[in-house]
Amino acid sequence: MNKEKNLWEIVKSDVLVIGGGFGGLWAALRASGKNSSVTLVDKSFAGKSGHSYFAGGAMMVLPPGDDLDEYVYDITLGNEWLVDQEMVTSVFSESYSRMKDLEAYGISFRKRGDKYTWTLARGTRQVKNFWPEHATAADMVTMLRKVALFRGVQVIDHVYIYDLAKDEAGNIAGAAGLGVKDTKNYLFHSKSVVLATNSGSYRGHHLACELQGTGPFMAYDAGARLKNPEFHYINIRPAKHEIEGSGILPAIGAKWVNGKGVHFMKDYDPVLKKDRAPVFKIVVAAAKEALKGNDPISIDVESLLPEERERFRSLQVSHGWMPILFEKCRREEGYDPLLDNIEWQPAYEANKIGIDADIRCRTSMKGLFAAGMARELGINPFTGWSITACTWSGCQAGDSAAEYARNESFKKIDFHEVGKSHEDFFSPMYSKAGKDPDSVVNEIQKVLFPVDALIIMKEDKLENALNQILEIKEEKISELSVKDIHNLIKARETRTMVFSAEITLKSSLMRKETRENIYYREDYPSPDNKNWLKWIFVRKDADDQPVFSTEPVPFERYPFKPDRT
């Protein structure tokens, strides 16, 4: 036993938070505020990396005087009824207080006189986005890190967590990780754990495409249930250089046009025809236009009025990292994204697989809580929703984890199981097969990124993609071979990509319908409210195989109910 313990650098605290974005930092702050000792660990640099750092900064807020029911109904419709309305209600009920918290920490929000200014969130009719003044999400999470350190949170950067640790009764008791820089073997021993990583991705075309989150898959391996495996976040991005703006530019007057100069979104979304449709609907419409031969697709910025351009500059290009990217576009490609129409293409950002958790962010595993994109937070990636929802989930998870820890003692970690996890994680270092993780990721991308794989879906295409992914799983994953820590982490992420692709494709074959804001099956082009007002779940069985189940959305508990005919 002592020999097993001597392998590890042991770090002990009441609450362990894994992930340093909005969800993780808020969880750490809230748990420390309840007199828990808190350790926050991040594989990079907490508050300076991840999707949170690269976000534009828009935050959905329900200000005093606005109607909560209208906001909840708007988000429910945008998620095609497949969202937890109790969660949405709680998110908006707390949103104004969280914005005021940020102001207390030093992040001011835009005002004209003594009134906040706002934009309507893309894909909604009523919901308002508030914007930080001369700041981005990067400034917000950087400030949260400073506050967390000031309040005594122990922040440990550059440690990659690869598995959860359990006690001898099978409950969550910490996590195992590897120092990215110091190569130490870390064992975090805690009474409760908050998983607040990103969800999974396949390294697509996006600023944060390399940021593969493994939190949901660690939870799955530990026995937790995952939700919404069939959904994913596909955005639309410039073909050459990465900039933000697909949600904000249409909100201030720009229009999506095809290669013939036709404003095509009015044909695909007559209600939100001013190009404020949900991003998934825009992506599907753009894909259909391209298949008709009407590409390239662009945002018509050339027709913007000077005052509209100036509004975008003040919102997005006056601060943070966006001016750097705009200057790079001018310097390297000779165009100005606010003056010249450029090609935009679909870009896979992340899947929407999340850990299933209740309204207090408690999972099905004792001692495990979920926050940020690791938790299921709905499907439609409205502009501004992610920051607000991740903030809410971090607060809920931090409070719940601290309350749980207060009533628990430190349990004895099962070192035998932790040792097996360590051996499994390091196995590619000892493999002689020579399969490089990047080459396997490239094979996965070739299967999943074509427009007829996960955007315009059809049964035969899905089955073909699934067969290819299962072949990669069977023949390539066991052959992964690496020589350094950097590629060892890539090997683990590649394994999670293959698993993610497998359950995404299998669950997509299950859902035989179309919900135009979030999901498109060409062979089932209409919503099926009779049979598919359901959520899909997946968990691991005794033979380590994914088992799928469905549950009806509990409309008997919700204020808003769809027509089931």
Side-chain angles (χ1 to χ4, degrees):
M1 180 61 70
N2 287 333
K3 183 178 179 181
E4 290 175 325
K5 285 186 177 180
N6 291 337
L7 174 68
W8 303 96
E9 179 87 9
I10 297 178
V11 179
K12 201 170 184 178
S13 59
D14 294 331
V15 178
L16 171 65
V17 179
I18 302 170
F22 279 104
L25 286 164
W26 276 109
L29 282 170
R30 294 291 284 240
S32 67
K34 291 185 175 293
N35 298 317
S36 289
S37 60
V38 181
T39 299
L40 185 149
V41 59
D42 192 278
K43 68 179 179 182
S44 186
F45 191 89
K48 288 284 189 179
S49 60
H51 264 99
S52 294
Y53 188 79
F54 290 108
M59 184 174 178
M60 283 186 175
V61 175
L62 174 74
D66 278 16
D67 191 314
L68 174 61
D69 283 347
E70 287 183 351
Y71 278 48
V72 174
Y73 184 66
D74 226 347
I75 298 302
T76 300
L77 282 186
N79 280 279
E80 300 279 356
W81 301 102
L82 300 181
V83 70
D84 180 356
Q85 293 180 37
E86 292 174 348
M87 175 191 72
V88 178
T89 301
S90 184
V91 169
F92 282 122
S93 296
E94 297 185 14
S95 61
Y96 187 75
S97 295
R98 298 292 79 76
M99 185 183 76
K100 300 303 285 186
D101 286 342
L102 286 168
E103 288 189 326
Y105 299 154
I107 301 294
S108 59
F109 283 77
R110 292 178 180 274
K111 289 183 177 180
R112 184 175 293 115
D114 62 349
K115 293 185 177 180
Y116 290 105
T117 60
W118 47 267
T119 60
L120 278 178
R122 175 175 61 184
T124 73
R125 297 160 181 78
Q126 305 286 340
V127 180
K128 295 173 181 175
N129 272 329
F130 287 56
W131 294 83
E133 181 79 33
H134 303 306
T136 65
D139 302 288
M140 295 159 77
V141 286
T142 298
M143 180 59 70
L144 290 174
R145 176 190 171 100
K146 291 178 181 178
V147 176
L149 288 168
F150 177 77
R151 293 190 179 177
V153 174
Q154 179 179 211
V155 177
I156 301 179
D157 299 308
H158 306 298
V159 173
Y160 180 79
I161 302 297
Y162 56 82
D163 208 354
L164 296 172
K166 294 181 178 180
D167 62 26
E168 293 178 336
N171 300 319
I172 303 301
L178 174 68
V180 177
K181 292 187 173 181
D182 62 20
T183 69
K184 290 181 180 178
N185 292 302
Y186 285 87
L187 183 60
F188 296 89
H189 190 187
S190 62
K191 300 175 184 176
S192 61
V193 174
V194 178
L195 267 174
T197 69
N198 194 7
S199 189
S201 183
Y202 304 105
R203 300 203 182 108
H205 174 60
H206 179 250
L207 266 174
C209 69
E210 288 289 325
L211 305 174
Q212 170 73 1
T214 54
F217 311 112
M218 286 191 289
Y220 169 88
D221 284 336
R225 190 168 75 157
L226 303 184
K227 184 178 178 182
N228 289 343
E230 73 271 39
F231 299 112
H232 38 267
Y233 180 12
I234 293 178
N235 209 330
I236 189 162
R237 296 289 185 187
K240 292 184 177 179
H241 281 109
E242 174 60 34
I243 59 171
E244 292 285 341
S246 64
I248 309 307
L249 282 168
I252 63 173
K255 294 179 172 62
W256 289 102
V257 294
N258 62 25
K260 297 179 180 179
V262 175
H263 172 215
F264 60 87
M265 279 308 300
K266 61 184 179 182
D267 298 325
Y268 294 92
D269 194 330
V271 176
L272 294 173
K273 58 187 176 184
K274 292 183 179 180
D275 297 86
R276 289 186 45 259
V279 64
F280 186 80
K281 186 178 286 187
I282 293 171
V283 170
V284 170
K288 289 182 175 180
E289 288 296 305
L291 291 173
K292 292 176 185 177
N294 293 336
D295 53 331
I297 305 301
S298 61
I299 299 180
D300 183 14
V301 297
E302 294 175 0
S303 62
L304 285 174
L305 298 174
E307 56 267 30
E308 292 171 332
R309 289 194 184 91
E310 186 55 36
R311 189 178 185 200
F312 181 83
R313 284 194 179 95
S314 68
L315 285 172
Q316 291 266 271
V317 197
S318 62
H319 50 272
W321 43 265
M322 284 284 279
I324 299 171
L325 295 178
F326 269 61
E327 175 55 33
K328 188 174 183 180
C329 293
R330 286 189 286 266
R331 184 179 66 250
E332 295 186 6
E333 297 294 337
Y335 65 80
D336 185 324
L338 273 178
L339 295 173
D340 305 304
N341 291 355
I342 58 174
E343 182 178 4
W344 290 64
Q345 296 176 340
Y348 196 104
E349 288 197 25
N351 55 50
K352 301 299 289 185
I353 300 168
I355 303 166
D356 182 37
D358 67 10
I359 199 73
R360 297 295 314 283
C361 292
R362 297 171 293 203
T363 75
S364 57
M365 300 291 296
K366 287 186 68 175
L368 181 64
F369 304 82
M373 301 305 289
R375 186 202 191 276
E376 185 277 321
L377 291 172
I379 303 157
N380 194 324
F382 306 96
T383 303
W385 171 257
S386 293
I387 290 178
T388 301
C390 287
T391 294
W392 168 84
S393 65
C395 292
Q396 294 291 332
D399 288 350
S400 296
E403 290 165 9
Y404 179 89
R406 185 167 56 244
N407 298 311
E408 292 290 324
S409 59
F410 284 98
K411 299 299 194 296
K412 190 175 181 181
I413 285 180
D414 188 335
F415 276 93
H416 176 68
E417 288 301 316
V418 171
K420 287 168 61 178
S421 295
H422 177 270
E423 183 179 342
D424 179 60
F425 175 68
F426 274 89
S427 60
M429 293 281 279
Y430 310 116
S431 172
K432 305 299 182 183
K435 203 66 183 176
D436 173 59
D438 285 340
S439 67
V440 178
V441 171
N442 185 248
E443 291 185 46
I444 297 169
Q445 291 172 337
K446 288 179 179 178
V447 175
L448 298 180
F449 284 2
V451 71
D452 58 358
L454 293 177
I455 299 177
I456 298 178
M457 295 179 284
K458 198 174 181 180
E459 185 156 351
D460 59 339
K461 299 289 186 179
L462 288 169
E463 288 178 342
N464 181 54
L466 176 60
N467 289 335
Q468 292 181 71
I469 290 297
L470 292 176
E471 185 177 329
I472 292 171
K473 175 184 176 181
E474 182 71 23
E475 298 181 2
K476 308 293 174 63
I477 293 303
S478 63
E479 297 181 356
L480 289 173
S481 178
V482 302
K483 296 181 179 179
D484 55 50
I485 297 301
H486 178 70
N487 282 297
L488 180 63
I489 292 170
K490 279 189 174 183
R492 172 51 60 95
E493 292 176 344
T494 302
R495 274 176 50 174
T496 64
M497 288 182 201
V498 171
F499 171 71
S500 168
E502 177 186 352
I503 61 173
T504 289
L505 292 164
K506 285 181 175 178
S507 54
S508 295
L509 283 163
M510 291 172 64
R511 184 173 288 280
K512 292 177 168 58
E513 64 163 355
T514 285
R515 294 189 178 270
E516 60 180 2
N517 291 330
I518 55 176
Y519 187 82
Y520 187 79
R521 280 286 299 262
E522 189 176 33
D523 46 352
Y524 296 94
S526 301
D528 182 357
N529 282 359
K530 183 178 180 180
N531 297 302
W532 274 107
L533 285 170
K534 298 176 181 177
W535 291 315
I536 297 179
F537 300 90
V538 59
R539 72 188 321 157
K540 185 172 67 172
D541 70 8
D543 298 319
D544 290 340
Q545 296 301 309
V547 176
F548 297 86
S549 61
T550 62
E551 289 182 10
V553 180
F555 289 109
E556 67 276 5
R557 301 204 318 250
Y558 295 163
F560 303 112
K561 299 169 175 57
D563 181 357
R564 291 180 176 270
T565 58

